Amino acid sequence: MRASVKPKPVGVDAADTNVKGMSPLCDRAPSEKPPFTIADLKRAIPPHCFRRSLLLSSAYLLLDLVLILLLAVAASSLIPLLPQVARRLVAWPSYFFLQGCLLVGVWVVAHECGHGAFSEHRLVNDAVGFLLHAALLVPYFSWKYSHRRHHANTGSLEREEVLLPWPKEKVEWYYKRFNNPPGRVFTIVAALLFGWPLYVSMNVSGRPYHRFASHFDPFCEIFSDRERVQVMASDLAVILATYALYEVAVAKGVLWLMCIYGGPLLVVNGFITLISYLNHFHPDIPRYDASEWDWLRGSLTAVDRDYGILNKVFNHITDTHVVHHLFPAMPHYYAVEATRAIKPILGSYYRVDSTPIVKALWREVRECLYVEQEDGGGDGGSKKGVFWFKNKI
């Protein structure tokens, strides 16, 4: 049996860039083919939402960069003047979190560049994304290509690129050891600290390949022959960024660099893992094998989450993730409007959860251990090829 905990419904009000009246997650999501097409959804969205404005995108990015610079200068100048206890226990941790959140917004803009959502010009998109991601030690083209495959195969049990759920028979023995409160705490902390760098460097939690795969290896199976040169360029950019950080450490000191840059980067990496996980894992959304999967149903397995004011700081990758999967080239500044436009058509296929993020993370780690075909559900019966998350090992 699945655990009985049910998520709370949420609405987002126009003032909060959230959407009211959305279908509650009071039961499983429908797993039947939806009665609408992607063309139906596109027609419901105002045409201007698909216009990628270089000026507007640049303005949002510039605002983020100015806030990041001001915060770094203020922290570097003012925090050392505080008493030691206040610096260590309050000031620096607060700076790490605030700066990390702002940098997540920049990370999301770089990610949008990979989707072509920053401007109408491919060269501009790649140049901006390349520089922004290199500054955060992310190989831009490598991530761009693997992430597009994630979008192309979302919800598929065979081809999903990352965070692929396992059937019960493939669950490793150590899951049983960690299937308890202390084990879950350890799992969450380890995932937030190391999940993103392990995925990028070693494909941990990624789609299985025949041999070792890494976003830094241009010859691994993740990439096609025509992508390998750009993967090498991404590697070079990360190497140069790392060398630049080394020079900064020499000039300003390792401790200064770790405080100004290293701490916020840990927060960024943790949020990227958290956002990726919570926008795709929920006990009431299905997964599909090859007999049932199609792109539209797979894209509708995304879940919108409410991070409060951080929705804006994160450029709405959190609370408009469903529309992002349906129309990934849409700029983030139109995503809330587009979500409002399509929700009447999506109906119960639109999934949104307002459960507080910490509580939701604990619930999902507890309940979403593996997937299994099961009778019953929100679509009114059993269906071969449709799988649901389970938690009994």
Side-chain angles (χ1 to χ4, degrees):
M1 294 286 293
R2 292 188 311 119
S4 60
V5 178
K6 286 290 181 184
K8 296 183 288 186
V10 67
V12 198
D13 106 60
D16 296 326
T17 68
N18 291 322
V19 186
K20 280 188 175 175
M22 302 213 172
S23 57
L25 270 168
C26 59
D27 203 354
R28 286 180 172 172
S31 62
E32 299 291 336
K33 287 190 176 183
F36 49 82
T37 66
I38 192 67
D40 295 329
L41 298 173
K42 188 172 184 178
R43 281 192 293 268
I45 297 172
H48 71 266
C49 292
F50 296 100
R51 296 182 194 133
R52 297 162 291 179
S53 167
L54 177 57
L55 180 62
L56 193 54
S57 296
S58 298
Y60 275 98
L61 174 59
L62 182 60
L63 176 60
D64 285 342
L65 294 177
V66 167
L67 291 175
I68 287 166
L69 178 61
L70 291 176
L71 187 57
V73 170
S76 180
S77 304
L78 301 178
I79 292 179
L81 303 179
L82 298 174
Q84 188 177 63
V85 173
R87 290 201 309 266
R88 292 182 175 179
L89 298 183
V90 179
W92 281 121
S94 298
Y95 166 76
F96 294 164
F97 180 80
L98 293 174
Q99 189 72 293
C101 289
L102 290 173
L103 287 170
V104 169
V106 171
W107 201 107
V108 170
V109 172
H111 146 267
E112 285 201 343
C113 289
H115 285 296
F118 189 80
S119 79
E120 299 286 346
H121 310 288
R122 180 177 174 183
L123 183 60
V124 172
N125 291 330
D126 284 342
V128 172
F130 189 82
L131 292 173
L132 294 179
H133 262 164
L136 296 170
L137 303 183
V138 179
Y140 170 73
F141 285 109
S142 311
W143 163 252
K144 170 182 173 177
Y145 293 134
S146 70
H147 186 64
R148 281 186 176 182
R149 292 184 180 94
H150 157 64
H151 273 259
N153 299 289
T154 303
S156 168
L157 287 177
E158 290 88 4
R159 298 186 308 276
E160 170 63 271
E161 191 67 31
V162 63
L163 292 173
L164 186 66
W166 298 107
K168 186 174 183 179
E169 61 270 17
K170 290 188 177 181
V171 173
E172 300 288 351
W173 64 268
Y174 47 80
Y175 277 85
K176 297 180 182 180
R177 299 294 183 185
F178 289 93
N179 192 26
N180 51 65
R184 293 180 195 120
V185 170
F186 175 83
T187 299
I188 291 170
V189 172
L192 295 181
L193 285 176
F194 306 113
W196 168 248
L198 285 177
Y199 168 63
V200 173
S201 60
M202 302 175 64
N203 200 41
V204 173
S205 79
R207 174 182 173 181
Y209 288 96
H210 293 98
R211 65 177 184 87
F212 176 78
S214 168
H215 283 73
F216 294 102
D217 179 4
F219 299 101
C220 76
E221 294 178 85
I222 297 176
F223 310 112
S224 67
D225 289 340
R226 66 180 180 178
E227 296 166 349
R228 304 196 196 285
V229 172
Q230 291 178 314
V231 173
M232 292 179 190
S234 301
D235 291 350
L236 179 60
V238 173
I239 291 171
L240 291 175
T242 303
Y243 178 75
L245 292 173
Y246 165 77
E247 290 293 341
V248 171
V250 170
K252 302 287 290 186
V254 174
L255 183 59
W256 185 91
L257 179 64
M258 292 304 298
C259 289
I260 295 298
Y261 177 83
L265 187 65
L266 286 177
V267 174
V268 173
N269 292 346
F271 267 120
I272 295 307
T273 301
L274 177 66
I275 292 168
S276 300
Y277 180 76
L278 287 183
N279 280 132
H280 291 283
F281 275 62
H282 194 286
D284 288 339
I285 60 172
R287 291 294 191 273
Y288 306 95
D289 70 13
S291 68
E292 283 295 319
W293 182 88
D294 62 67
W295 179 84
L296 181 55
R297 276 196 288 177
S299 297
L300 292 173
T301 62
V303 179
D304 284 353
R305 300 280 187 170
D306 185 12
Y307 286 68
I309 193 173
L310 290 181
N311 291 329
K312 292 184 178 181
V313 178
F314 294 163
N315 288 319
H316 295 292
I317 196 64
T318 46
D319 61 328
T320 63
H321 207 74
V322 174
V323 81
H324 171 66
H325 265 267
L326 294 169
F327 303 102
M330 179 184 292
H332 64 82
Y333 38 84
Y334 293 132
V336 171
E337 182 180 356
T339 297
R340 290 196 186 101
I342 64 174
K343 73 181 184 72
I345 298 175
L346 292 176
S348 60
Y349 284 86
Y350 175 71
R351 314 306 288 179
V352 57
D353 188 355
S354 68
T355 303
I357 295 303
V358 173
K359 184 178 180 180
L361 177 61
W362 182 258
R363 183 191 65 215
E364 269 50 304
V365 169
R366 184 183 67 238
E367 295 195 20
C368 300
L369 295 184
Y370 59 91
V371 289
E372 188 173 69
Q373 202 167 265
E374 184 186 57
D375 290 346
D379 51 357
S382 61
K383 189 170 183 62
K384 186 177 181 181
V386 180
F387 292 73
W388 302 93
F389 285 106
K390 304 292 288 296
N391 67 348
K392 300 301 181 184
I393 297 181

